[in-house]
Amino acid sequence: MLKLTIIKMAEYKSILFKKIPQFMLTKQNQTMMVLFVSVFAVIFINIFKPFGSEEWMTKGRFTPTQYLLWSTILVTMGMSIVAISRVIMYHYAKKPTHNITVLRYTLWVIVELLLLSAAFTALALITSYGGVERDPMEIYKNALQNTIFIMFIPYLICIMYLSYQDKNTKLRTIMEENIGTKSTSFITFHDDRGILQLSVAKENLLYIESADNYISTWYLKNGQLKKQLIRITMRDLSSQLADTNIVRCHRSFMVNLDQVKVLRREKENLFIELGYPGLKEIPISKTYGEEVLKHIVPMK
């Protein structure tokens, strides 16, 4: 039990002193977080009216529109503290010797909450009417509770959203690097709008056949012959696959040269056989014949 506790403590310590993801510190994401929290706070204050705001500020004299305007000003004043804090964090994190760990980031947010609560407390005391005695510590306690509640939810939503966006960005980068049109492992097909429609392992792609403004892509999936129709012209597709071993052999066909099993001449015509049951012979036209033969027939 003691050993398990020590291991758990070591894991928690490792997490606390781990650097926070870089996406949390970018200028764009910091700005988005401040703006999102500000909008959330205005909506929250107008719905729930925390900090006893109706009592110590408006005293029932404000219309809903006036209250909305006042709450917006109040949030803007409060979030200016957070904005200044995030500017300092951004420039602090840019220095190579300054690491923003999970623990340091958490403490930074706690300080922001304490400063915001102090600002709201000061405003409540300044705007008190009628000489009513109010306990500053009680006001501060209530302000801190409400500030934590207001800030925690949008902070959590922002972090989850930014994490999701960061993962998507990394995934797109990996796909572009590993299964792009110039990849040696995968061949990708985009339609005429540039949207990815198919990515297939190079060794599983057999041939491509044109059908007006569409192409039929023939490939193997789990040993079974499959076909997918994609809206793109053969000319545009040829540009996409320019740096691959998928070459045009006929006006209506492109073939994966790695899959060619037989090159056969019949009278004046050349045909390619891929060696899979159910596949028809693929003709080689005179226009593309010389280029195809360079890849298939060894030079003497």
Side-chain angles (χ1 to χ4, degrees), residues 27-179:
K27 184 185 295 185
Q28 179 181 352
N29 288 345
Q30 293 273 38
T31 302
M32 189 191 76
M33 181 174 287
V34 171
L35 292 176
F36 178 76
V37 173
S38 300
V39 173
F40 181 92
V42 170
I43 296 173
F44 179 87
I45 289 175
N46 278 268
I47 294 176
F48 297 101
K49 297 179 174 57
F51 314 120
S53 54
E54 285 187 305
E55 176 186 349
W56 58 261
M57 187 60 178
T58 66
K59 291 191 175 295
R61 297 175 302 159
F62 283 6
T63 65
T65 302
Q66 291 172 325
Y67 187 87
L68 174 62
L69 178 61
W70 167 82
S71 62
T72 302
I73 296 173
L74 176 66
V75 169
T76 302
M77 293 171 56
M79 291 308 296
S80 64
I81 297 174
V82 178
I84 294 171
S85 171
R86 293 310 167 115
V87 170
I88 296 173
M89 178 188 291
Y90 172 75
H91 288 286
Y92 178 87
K94 286 178 66 177
K95 297 182 179 180
T97 55
H98 293 168
N99 293 328
I100 303 292
T101 61
V102 173
L103 177 60
R104 186 169 290 177
Y105 185 85
T106 303
L107 294 175
W108 201 300
V109 172
I110 291 173
V111 172
E112 289 177 349
L113 295 174
L114 295 174
L115 290 175
L116 279 172
S117 302
F120 291 136
T121 300
L123 185 60
L125 292 173
I126 292 171
T127 56
S128 293
Y129 294 102
V132 179
E133 290 291 335
R134 308 191 67 189
D135 183 5
M137 290 306 299
E138 185 66 25
I139 297 174
Y140 185 80
K141 178 182 176 182
N142 292 333
L144 183 60
Q145 290 176 347
N146 285 286
T147 302
I148 291 173
F149 184 74
I150 290 176
M151 301 288 282
F152 177 77
I153 296 176
Y155 266 31
L156 184 61
I157 293 174
C158 270
I159 291 173
M160 292 174 63
Y161 173 76
L162 294 176
S163 177
Y164 172 78
Q165 287 291 95
D166 183 64
K167 288 179 180 179
N168 273 353
T169 301
K170 289 179 178 178
L171 180 60
R172 285 196 298 269
T173 301
I174 291 172
M175 289 181 65
E176 290 172 359
E177 291 178 350
N178 296 324
I179 60 174

Side-chain angles (χ1 to χ4, degrees), residues 260-273:
V260 175
K261 301 297 190 292
V262 177
L263 175 65
R264 181 174 59 83
R265 179 178 292 277
E266 183 176 320
K267 296 182 179 180
E268 297 298 320
N269 300 315
L270 288 172
F271 295 90
I272 287 175
E273 295 181 12

